Amino acid sequence: MSPFRTPKRLSHFRLSIFRYPLLTRSYAITKVSDPLRILFCGSDDFSIASLKALHHEHKSQPDFIKSIDVVCKPAKRVGRGLKKVREVPIAETARELSLPLHQINTFTGWQPPRPEAEAINLIVTVSFGLFVPSRILKGAKYGGLNVHPSLLPDFRGSAPLHHALLAGCTRTGVSLQTLHDKHFDHGIVLARTPLPGFQIPNHDGATVPELLSLVAPKGADMLVQGIRERLYVPPLQEVQQQTEDGNKLLTRPAPKIVPDDRHIDWGSWTSETILRKQRILGSLWNTLSVMETHSQRTHHKRIIWSSSFQKVANFPKPLSPGQIRISADASTSGQGINDPRVYVGTTDGQVLRTEMAKLESERAQPAARALGNLVKSELVFDPAIEESGYLNFKGTL
């Protein structure tokens, strides 16, 4: 779903297998399936909810779901010096449920397990991240299923929750689709939250973890219901691909979130856009163009705004988009700063302030101090422009 870590691990989900409305299919009870030996591929909290629901069904119907093997990526070293080892969250869950665990970085050269000498016959992926090749899909009698947290075909891609919130959606849903043998999120949609979807509580202030906690149990319920109704057994029936009034469904992309998505464009982003993106994407950043005092050479430094921006009411003087003001004493060697905040103008005439910032390769510190430290050796301010105890940057961000 995204390259950014979920700020707070969701420790558990309340799973109510019967909460999701039963899907109406004329053949729901008449379809016949072999006992299932499932290969479950996942990673994060969204996957964990589905794995727990599937495991519950396995315990309830052991003659139908014979086995569940779990696949995820291996742990990796992170942080400074790569001293910390971060494991994929679902690995711990698999161990807690006493399920066989297979940790791989690629399917190349890898063969699926054969529990009790029987072949895996259904692949299930939920927020997995690796593409399941046709070799693996063809080896499973019933192919593959995927739970996706959007109203497919809308928000196809690895970050549907982020993009739904960025687009200002008030409603969303979950979908159950088959696994396509060539592309992500292009399978047959077998089930989907009834249109127009369920309400996103507090959509103007919702975060990704909050939306995740809403869609995860609903996706888990849909997966279990789909398996109970044998939706994976041919002939496959696709849900309606248009609204009740005959309009086609939206097909907005939801690509992976990359660092440039957090790079503030002060020339075009309004204050509301900046506040919304920091709520959804986390810390935003900019690049400062600075000139060395002696060599007169210009170079660039990245600055990460590590605390939230807030609107400033009645700022004494308008600032142009990207224009920065800081306290005049921020560049002195003393420890005290009259005002530790940085003030920046936006394209819609607002002024935003933030209290903490981090220059690349340095620790977070009061934002005015982080910028003020540059003055000692680099010409980033115009000393002639000093007004009411504040300094203006030369140029803008």
Side-chain angles (χ1 to χ4, degrees), residues 259-264 283-287 302-305:
D260 274 350
D261 293 321
R262 298 185 291 131
H263 186 185
I264 302 176
S283 297
L284 307 177
W285 63 275
N286 280 108
T287 300
R302 179 174 293 193
I303 182 166
I304 300 171
W305 307 110

Side-chain angles (χ1 to χ4, degrees), residues 248-284:
K248 289 186 177 180
L249 296 172
L250 294 173
T251 56
R252 291 167 288 187
K256 178 181 178 180
I257 299 297
V258 296
D260 274 350
D261 293 321
R262 298 185 291 131
H263 186 185
I264 302 176
D265 182 350
W266 294 94
S268 65
W269 291 14
T270 65
S271 58
E272 291 300 329
T273 299
I274 293 169
L275 296 177
R276 183 170 66 250
K277 289 201 174 190
Q278 75 175 5
R279 167 171 54 87
I280 297 165
L281 303 181
S283 297
L284 307 177

Side-chain angles (χ1 to χ4, degrees), residues 322-335:
Q323 183 182 3
I324 293 180
R325 300 192 82 195
I326 67 169
S327 177
D329 59 4
S331 62
T332 64
S333 58
Q335 295 299 313

Side-chain angles (χ1 to χ4, degrees), residues 346-368:
T346 66
T347 189
D348 56 340
Q350 299 291 324
V351 174
L352 299 180
R353 73 183 184 198
T354 187
E355 296 192 1
M356 299 294 290
K358 179 181 181 298
L359 289 171
E360 57 182 286
S361 304
E362 296 183 16
R363 294 180 181 274
Q365 55 187 312

Side-chain angles (χ1 to χ4, degrees), residues 13 15 17 40 44-57 68 90 97 124-127 146-148 215-224 227:
F13 296 95
L15 296 177
I17 303 304
F40 186 97
D44 57 12
D45 288 300
F46 185 65
S47 327
I48 289 172
S50 288
L51 179 60
K52 286 183 175 180
L54 198 59
H55 179 260
H56 181 274
E57 191 74 359
I68 304 173
I90 203 169
L97 300 177
V124 175
T125 69
V126 186
S127 188
N146 168 256
V147 181
H148 190 77
V215 300
K218 293 180 184 295
D221 289 350
M222 181 174 282
L223 172 63
V224 171
I227 287 178

